[in-house]
Amino acid sequence: MGVATVLYHLANPVPAILVPSLSPGFFTAPPCTDRTIRLQLRLRFRQKKLQVSAAKKPFPDVQTENQESGDSSLLSRGEDGKSAGVGWLPSFPHVLVASMSNFLFGYHIGVMNGPIVSIARELGFEGNAILEGLVVSIFIAGAFIGSISCGSIVDRLGCRRTFQIDTIPLVLGAIISAQAHSLDEILLGRFLVGLGIGVNTVLVPIYISEVAPTRYRGSLGTLCQIGTCLGIITSLSLAIPSQDDPHWWRTMLYIASVPGVVLSLGMQYAVDSPRWLCKVGRLDDAKAVIRNLWGSSEVDRAIEEFQSVIKNDGTDLESKWSELLEEPHFRVACIGGALFVLQQFAGINGVLYFSSLTFQDVGITSDALASLLIGLTNFGGALCALYLMDKQGRKTLLIGSYMGMAISMFLAVYAINFPPDEEIGHTLSILGTVLYIFTFAIGAGPATGLIIPELSSNRTRGKIMGFSFSVHWVCNFLVGLFFLEIVKKFGVGTVYAGFGGVSLLSAIFAYYYIVETKGRSLEEIEISLNANFKVRDNDDS
């Protein structure tokens, strides 16, 4: 997901994280089978196809190879070949409540954009760029810690309780920030909010991927991006009175506590992940959730897959960080980290930062209005992703999105460095900026956070997501910290050309190293990609 925190000036540096290089041998096809004759027969023919395909490509394309073998998804289709679930509607309220976390995320991204000057003046650090940056960077520091800690919490408590516990720092941090009368208080409030946001950015994709029906997992997963966009738009809209009222920022921060309370109450009526319920031995509860959300015909098949994967992974409730150094978890963690490195260094935050300056060239002098237009563009792209994610697939959208971003950046570079005339140059700059934001929102934004939990194993999903998002926050901070200095040294055109180059590199990476997960259950993906999946014959069960 894209983060617009670079709208503020960042201060303190954070050490870079080195992500291990990727080798072309990732996810070579395993000789996988399962403990029952039925699953064994379903997977046996596909196994041969995967082995042949693995010799041709670094990654087996799960969706394509299953189509070639004539096999149908174990969870997305029933015995008659038609959709066995009852559609997206039963799971939608639960996903919608979880997406309230992303609304909060977007709201806190935009809430400081306008009022930061009023806050600095009232709290006595006006004109001190370092302290103004610290107010923002402390949020990212909290988010980094929250992301790292989320995996262990969700392993033990499950998504539902973790959501509710996480609303405590979100609500408390918003209230402390709203009534702050000193720099220390606003820093404490922002840190607590960042801590809660860090947990939620990891938690929401995990929750949606585990409760959504396979057929609609991609579309429902885009609600993360939509929620973030709506939060940004809301905060920017509410910030307009801050230009006339120097104390309006307190009201905005008090408002930020309301969605946290709604989230906590809503999660009281939401279901927990059926995979986690099965993992902790609450089999009847898991069956009830599957029956209510996916349909009665899915119960036996889903439970059978859950138990097969759990037996292979082990019975320990919580995974260890050291397991990320083992295969295949190490490879997925590298992919997750690499995806976020590429996403951030493709320049989303830098383009958002300069968007207001670009709009000023054509007469839109209000920063709030310019940011609002960008937010609406981002929202429009997210709506397109909602429609396309389960039709075109994650891999296709990632490649197309990054190619569109590259073209947009090169168009902007042409407008900046080689404009035919001033008016055409301004028009092309606006077109390149809007097109960049739109294409980002279609694929690079929502698909990145969606595909990582899909590729992760049931056992290490929380840890891998925590690591991936911690890389996200570090890269986000570094871009915000050094962006202006690099622009001053090399110029906007050169920097935008670099963003276009990284976007092209990201498209190439997605083509060679991303597995298409559309229409596959999480368990089927794990079995297909795990070369260490233990063989259990029917006699051993």
Side-chain angles (χ1 to χ4, degrees):
M1 65 186 65
V3 186
T5 47
V6 80
L7 290 171
Y8 331 118
H9 293 266
L10 304 180
N12 298 339
V14 177
I17 287 182
L18 299 179
V19 179
S21 60
L22 305 177
S23 65
F26 279 13
F27 292 144
T28 51
C32 60
T33 180
D34 201 35
R35 64 187 179 88
T36 65
I37 291 296
R38 182 164 62 84
L39 285 179
Q40 188 176 11
L41 291 174
R42 286 173 182 261
L43 294 171
R44 182 178 298 167
F45 184 68
R46 183 187 59 182
Q47 171 190 336
K48 298 179 181 179
K49 289 287 185 180
L50 287 172
Q51 289 174 334
V52 173
S53 177
K56 299 178 181 178
K57 295 177 64 178
F59 285 98
D61 191 319
V62 180
Q63 175 71 8
T64 302
E65 282 137 16
N66 278 279
Q67 290 173 346
E68 290 175 356
S69 67
D71 188 23
S72 59
S73 173
L74 299 182
L75 284 184
S76 64
R77 296 185 182 276
E79 300 298 332
D80 58 356
K82 299 179 180 179
S83 176
V86 291
W88 56 271
L89 191 58
S91 58
F92 180 75
H94 309 274
V95 172
L96 185 64
V97 171
S99 299
M100 184 66 69
S101 298
N102 287 89
F103 178 86
L104 266 172
F105 177 36
Y107 188 90
H108 281 290
I109 287 174
V111 73
M112 302 294 281
N113 187 39
I116 184 64
V117 176
S118 299
I119 294 173
R121 183 182 300 118
E122 186 169 344
L123 300 185
F125 56 93
E126 183 180 10
N128 192 324
I130 295 179
L131 293 181
E132 289 180 7
L134 184 60
V135 171
V136 177
S137 61
I138 199 71
F139 172 89
I140 297 179
F144 175 85
I145 295 173
S147 296
I148 286 290
S149 62
C150 180
S152 298
I153 300 174
V154 75
D155 281 347
R156 290 187 173 276
L157 302 180
C159 292
R160 182 166 163 264
R161 291 305 178 200
T162 304
F163 269 119
Q164 292 183 309
I165 293 173
D166 190 51
T167 58
I168 296 174
L170 286 171
V171 174
L172 189 61
I175 294 175
I176 291 176
S177 300
Q179 60 83 49
H181 294 285
S182 68
L183 176 63
D184 292 340
E185 288 180 312
I186 193 72
L187 288 176
L188 175 60
R190 292 291 291 170
F191 176 81
L192 289 175
V193 168
L195 191 68
I197 292 299
V199 172
N200 278 345
T201 52
V202 174
L203 190 58
V204 177
I206 293 177
Y207 181 78
I208 294 177
S209 68
E210 294 196 352
V211 304
T214 298
R215 186 178 179 184
Y216 303 102
R217 191 173 62 235
S219 297
L220 291 175
T222 60
L223 290 180
C224 295
Q225 184 78 1
I226 291 175
T228 302
C229 294
L230 289 176
I232 294 174
I233 291 172
T234 301
S235 63
L236 292 176
S237 301
L238 289 175
I240 295 176
S242 66
Q243 299 176 1
D244 301 319
D245 184 355
H247 306 295
W248 179 251
W249 62 273
R250 295 187 182 276
T251 302
M252 292 181 64
L253 290 172
Y254 276 124
I255 293 174
S257 65
V258 177
V261 175
V262 174
L263 175 63
S264 181
L265 294 176
M267 271 296 154
Q268 189 64 33
Y269 301 97
V271 299
D272 220 324
S273 163
R275 292 171 171 90
W276 181 81
L277 291 171
C278 191
K279 184 178 178 180
V280 297
R282 295 167 56 182
L283 203 58
D284 292 338
D285 291 339
K287 290 180 180 179
V289 171
I290 297 169
R291 186 178 299 109
N292 292 333
L293 299 189
W294 303 350
S296 300
S297 61
E298 294 295 316
V299 174
D300 293 338
R301 185 181 295 109
I303 293 297
E304 186 178 1
E305 284 195 337
F306 294 171
Q307 290 180 327
S308 176
V309 168
I310 290 170
K311 287 184 178 181
N312 180 76
D313 289 341
T315 57
D316 293 343
L317 185 60
E318 184 179 353
S319 60
K320 299 178 181 178
W321 281 104
S322 59
E323 294 180 39
L324 267 60
L325 300 176
E326 303 171 359
E327 296 294 354
H329 314 308
F330 175 76
R331 298 174 179 182
V332 180
C334 287
I335 289 175
L339 281 174
F340 275 122
V341 169
L342 292 170
Q343 184 203 62
Q344 291 300 301
F345 286 100
I348 179 61
N349 289 330
V351 175
L352 287 173
Y353 183 91
F354 262 91
S355 63
S356 59
L357 300 180
T358 303
F359 280 105
Q360 285 179 9
D361 291 337
V362 295
I364 302 177
T365 57
S366 172
D367 289 345
L369 182 58
S371 298
L372 189 59
L373 290 174
I374 289 297
L376 291 173
T377 302
N378 202 359
F379 179 67
L383 289 179
C384 291
L386 175 69
Y387 176 76
L388 295 173
M389 191 65 69
D390 282 317
K391 293 181 179 295
Q392 299 299 322
R394 290 63 153 154
K395 182 175 181 177
T396 301
L397 287 185
L398 273 176
I399 296 172
S401 174
Y402 278 119
M403 289 299 296
M405 291 163 62
I407 293 172
S408 304
M409 283 292 91
F410 294 143
L411 179 63
V413 170
Y414 174 77
I416 293 170
N417 293 338
F418 313 102
D421 59 59
E422 185 175 357
E423 183 178 352
I424 294 178
H426 290 165
T427 302
L428 291 178
S429 295
I430 292 290
L431 179 61
T433 300
V434 171
L435 183 62
Y436 177 92
I437 299 297
F438 184 79
T439 53
F440 171 86
I442 288 179
T448 300
L450 175 63
I451 201 168
I452 299 173
E454 291 182 327
L455 293 177
S456 305
S457 71
N458 183 56
R459 176 172 175 79
T460 59
R461 187 166 291 125
K463 294 291 195 302
I464 289 175
M465 286 292 288
F467 167 77
S468 300
F469 269 95
S470 66
V471 173
H472 166 276
W473 289 113
V474 170
C475 294
N476 181 285
F477 183 87
L478 292 175
V479 170
L481 182 65
F482 295 112
F483 176 73
L484 288 180
E485 292 298 323
I486 295 175
V487 168
K488 289 178 182 177
K489 185 174 183 179
F490 298 103
V492 177
T494 302
V495 173
Y496 274 19
F499 290 161
V502 174
S503 297
L504 281 178
L505 179 63
S506 303
I508 295 171
F509 177 87
Y511 179 80
Y512 283 104
Y513 291 102
I514 297 301
V515 179
E516 182 54 73
T517 56
K518 178 185 70 173
R520 302 290 93 185
S521 74
L522 299 181
E523 286 67 36
E524 187 175 356
I525 296 169
E526 180 175 352
I527 292 172
S528 299
L529 303 182
N530 188 353
N532 299 319
F533 198 85
K534 296 180 178 64
V535 178
R536 289 183 176 89
D537 295 329
N538 192 49
D539 295 338
D540 297 332
S541 57

